[in-house]
Amino acid sequence: MTNALPELDLGLVTWLMGELWSEGVHPGAPQVYALLDGARDERIEPMIRTSEAEFICLYAGKLEPALSAAAPYLVHLDPNKPFTGALLDAGWGSNWGYFIVAPADVSLRQLRRHFRTLLKVEDFAGNPLVFRFYDPRVLRTYLPTCLPEERSALFGPCLLFMAETTTAGSLIAYPAVASASAEAGGHVRTLPSLK
């Protein structure tokens, strides 16, 4: 058995890494995390658990295997680790999750604490619902409709969310504070060779 990584789409991976680490990798630089929805693909949880990356499940307590496999996970990414390229290559275009850029002084546990406050919401009748904000399809639908205070509550300490779009080779970057010029509350960026 070999631990070799599959052949990566280096053009896509290089472009995504450039977008995610646009401020570089140095002390004090923003940190990049992936917020992954384990329910999107059975490969996600095993990939995270064998990654050697720092990660944490948003659900609390000891989980049954089926729930653990379908749970949302927050993973700290390092552009110099093989897992990051493998994740970008395997998950991009499949709505596995989205990426979070946070200040250097915000820890994985602080992000988890924040995101756990968003897991449950109530409908107009007061019935509890699970809010699947970690699914990029939900994010792309919900975020452009947010009022400023709702957007602030969703972002918490985060600076930026980046998600794939419905078009191959492009992403949408949502800053914590929306600008009037941003398309649907975000900025669409396209892989240069696809422009």
Side-chain angles (χ1 to χ4, degrees), residues 37-189:
D37 181 0
R40 296 294 304 146
D41 192 297
E42 64 186 18
R43 296 175 291 171
I44 294 172
E45 185 198 25
M47 189 175 185
I48 292 168
R49 292 200 181 277
T50 61
S51 70
E52 298 181 9
E54 184 182 14
F55 72 91
I56 196 162
C57 180
L58 293 190
Y59 294 165
K62 183 165 173 53
L63 304 177
E64 293 296 323
L67 184 55
S68 180
Y73 288 89
L74 190 59
V75 184
H76 183 247
L77 299 179
D78 180 336
N80 299 311
K81 299 290 183 182
F83 168 74
T84 301
L87 173 67
L88 294 173
D89 189 61
W92 193 259
S94 299
N95 292 299
W96 280 17
Y98 56 91
F99 301 94
I100 297 159
V101 178
D105 63 344
V106 175
S107 72
L108 181 75
R109 293 209 179 274
Q110 288 171 310
L111 288 176
R112 179 182 190 256
R113 250 189 319 276
H114 164 67
F115 287 126
R116 282 188 48 76
T117 68
L118 304 173
L119 289 170
K120 293 186 181 174
V121 294
E122 292 181 354
D123 67 11
F124 292 113
N127 300 310
L129 302 169
V130 174
F131 180 29
R132 294 180 49 79
F133 66 91
Y134 43 85
D135 182 329
R137 299 167 303 172
V138 172
L139 180 78
R140 289 191 308 260
T141 302
Y142 173 69
L143 196 51
T145 70
C146 286
L147 297 172
E149 59 273 10
E150 293 167 327
R151 188 181 188 103
S152 179
L154 182 65
F155 274 85
C158 304
L159 301 170
L160 186 71
F161 294 158
M162 288 188 179
E164 61 193 54
T165 66
T166 57
T167 306
S170 65
L171 63 79
I172 188 160
Y174 296 103
V177 178
S179 67
S181 64
E183 180 182 314
H187 304 278
V188 176
R189 301 175 184 162

